[in-house]
Amino acid sequence: METKDFDFVARYYKKGGFNKDVAWSRLGITTASWWKRYRVAAAVAAFLFVSASAAIFYHEYHTTDVRNEVVYTPDTTPLNEIAVIDFENASLTEVVMKIEAVYNVRVENLPDLPGDYNLSLHFEGNPVDLIDAINEILGTQMTVVER
C-alpha cells in the first residue's frame, strides 16, 4: 500500500461511521430478516422430508404390472413343466388358451359357456395342478392331456 492510501483512510475514518446495512442497501442488496431465513430453512426441510418420504414409499410399495405374465422353466414333459402364470380378470377361454400355449398341453371338458367365467389368479406350478385349482375355484370338471 502506498502512503496516499493511508492518508485517505486516516483523513476520512470515523469511529462507528461504517454501517454494513447501509452499505448493502446502497448496493441495492437488503439483508433478510431472521424470520425470512427460518421460513426458507423450514421450506427446504419440508421439501427434503417429502422427497425422502416419496422415495421410500415408491421403493417399498412399487409394483409392476404382472397381468398375464408368464415365466418359463424348462422340463422334460409338458405335464411336469413348472411355470408362473398370472391372470387378471381374464375369461376362462383366455385362461385355457394361455395354459395350452405355455404348457403345450390340451385342456378338455370345458363348460358349455366358458366366456361366462372370469378368473384372476397367480399360479406357479404344473398344468395339472393349475387345472385342479381352477376346477376347485370355478366348480368345473376340466382335465389336461399331453398334445
Side-chain angles (χ1 to χ4, degrees):
M1 258 175 141
E2 297 180 26
T3 39
K4 67 178 182 173
D5 295 333
F6 285 117
D7 291 340
F8 177 81
V9 171
R11 184 178 306 141
Y12 293 107
Y13 176 75
K14 293 179 189 173
K15 187 173 184 173
F18 179 74
N19 184 343
K20 65 177 177 150
D21 293 328
V22 172
W24 284 115
S25 66
R26 283 185 184 170
L27 292 174
I29 301 171
T30 59
T31 58
S33 68
W34 65 273
W35 178 247
K36 286 183 183 177
R37 284 186 222 146
Y38 286 120
R39 284 181 25 200
V40 169
V44 168
F47 174 77
L48 291 175
F49 177 75
V50 169
S51 297
S53 299
I56 291 169
F57 183 78
Y58 178 80
H59 179 70
E60 190 69 28
Y61 297 106
H62 176 70
T63 58
T64 56
D65 187 13
V66 293
R67 279 186 263 165
N68 302 329
E69 180 180 315
V70 179
V71 178
Y72 299 99
T73 57
D75 201 345
T76 55
T77 64
L79 293 179
N80 291 330
E81 184 176 348
I82 304 290
V84 176
I85 250 178
D86 286 308
F87 300 106
E88 184 68 35
N89 199 21
S91 70
L92 186 58
T93 307
E94 294 174 38
V95 171
V96 169
M97 287 173 41
K98 181 75 82 167
I99 291 170
E100 289 178 343
V102 169
Y103 293 107
N104 195 24
V105 295
R106 194 173 73 243
V107 178
E108 297 179 340
N109 297 334
L110 284 160
D112 292 334
L113 299 171
D116 291 347
Y117 296 91
N118 285 335
L119 186 67
S120 294
L121 180 71
H122 170 81
F123 187 83
E124 179 176 358
N126 62 41
V128 175
D129 293 339
L130 175 56
I131 291 297
D132 288 343
I134 293 172
N135 284 337
E136 191 172 322
I137 292 169
L138 300 178
T140 57
Q141 299 297 322
M142 297 183 292
T143 57
V144 179
V145 293
E146 285 189 46
R147 283 191 188 202

